[in-house]
Amino acid sequence: MLFSYAFAANGMWLAEATYEEGERVRYEFQTADGEEAGFQTMERAFLTTGEDGNEWWRVRAQQNEETWVYEALIDPEREEVVRLRSKDPEGNVGEVPVTERTVYQSPQRLMEECIEGARVGTAELDTPAGMCSTREVEYTGGMGGGTVTWYLAEGVPGDVVRYRTQGTQGNAWISTLVEYGDDATTTLGSY
């Protein structure tokens, strides 16, 4: 489930959302009312590409005082996780069994023309990671209905500074960039 949150919002991710090796982003999650929304923070990091072309990614999530860390080896051609290592809140590190398509499903990538067509304006956002000049992109009727609003800025790994998901029954959550960098490496000895 953590990989679904980290790799896709409302089942989508942006076509231009690329990462270089070592790049990472960390987001905080809240409801639209400023209340906690499940995980307080989530990190997504592209660790490295192996000789076989498979990619190591890390997802780290914090809820209250508990932190979960997963490092996954993803085969980008098959769009499948082929290995998964984890660290639970008690500090136990180990290999997790992986079966076909049960751990990770790649998000549906949006076409650049679709992103430009959904552009509704620009916004200057003051985030814990700094001020960002963003393009505001909004979609309606996504998976589960409602709207999804993205705030995109070049120079941030994956381009996403903030995204907001508004459900059809009034519930909404917001994910905001807290920090980013280019120093990510394995913390679980995965490679």
Side-chain angles (χ1 to χ4, degrees):
M1 183 190 289
L2 289 180
F3 273 81
S4 294
Y5 284 124
F7 282 84
N10 216 29
M12 299 176 286
W13 204 256
L14 304 170
E16 76 257 27
T18 58
Y19 286 70
E20 299 294 324
E21 286 188 15
E23 289 187 327
R24 61 181 172 75
V25 290
R26 187 166 56 95
Y27 297 93
E28 67 180 4
F29 292 83
Q30 300 181 322
T31 66
D33 300 329
E35 301 293 321
E36 291 183 4
F39 294 106
Q40 282 89 33
T41 65
M42 178 149 325
E43 177 191 68
R44 175 182 178 174
F46 177 31
L47 304 178
T48 192
T49 302
E51 291 180 17
D52 57 3
N54 290 344
E55 301 173 346
W56 278 103
W57 288 81
R58 179 178 60 232
V59 173
R60 176 182 291 139
Q62 180 195 358
Q63 183 176 24
N64 301 318
E65 300 300 316
E66 297 185 335
T67 301
W68 290 264
V69 180
Y70 291 92
E71 291 183 357
L73 182 62
I74 297 175
D75 180 331
E77 295 220 1
R78 294 190 326 213
E79 298 182 334
E80 292 180 334
V81 171
V82 293
R83 270 189 73 196
L84 183 65
R85 296 182 47 76
S86 72
K87 179 179 179 182
D88 66 20
E90 287 77 40
N92 300 308
V93 176
E95 200 77 19
V96 175
V98 174
T99 60
E100 292 181 16
R101 295 259 182 224
T102 59
V103 178
Y104 167 81
Q105 287 190 321
S106 63
Q108 298 298 308
R109 299 212 178 259
L110 298 173
M111 305 302 289
E112 180 59 35
E113 295 85 353
C114 178
I115 295 168
E116 271 308 305
R119 185 175 179 166
V120 294
T122 60
E124 293 291 323
L125 296 181
D126 188 7
T127 74
M131 282 297 281
C132 297
S133 298
T134 67
R135 292 185 296 158
E136 185 178 351
V137 176
E138 185 171 284
Y139 296 98
T140 59
M143 294 178 63
T147 61
V148 178
T149 306
W150 303 81
Y151 297 87
L152 311 174
E154 292 182 16
V156 172
D159 295 345
V160 179
V161 174
R162 178 178 289 158
Y163 57 95
R164 183 180 197 278
T165 301
Q166 174 74 47
T168 56
Q169 298 180 353
N171 54 340
W173 57 270
I174 299 169
S175 176
T176 302
L177 184 67
V178 174
E179 124 184 80
Y180 63 97
D182 60 4
D183 57 351
T185 187
T186 182
T187 58
L188 305 182
S190 297
Y191 54 91

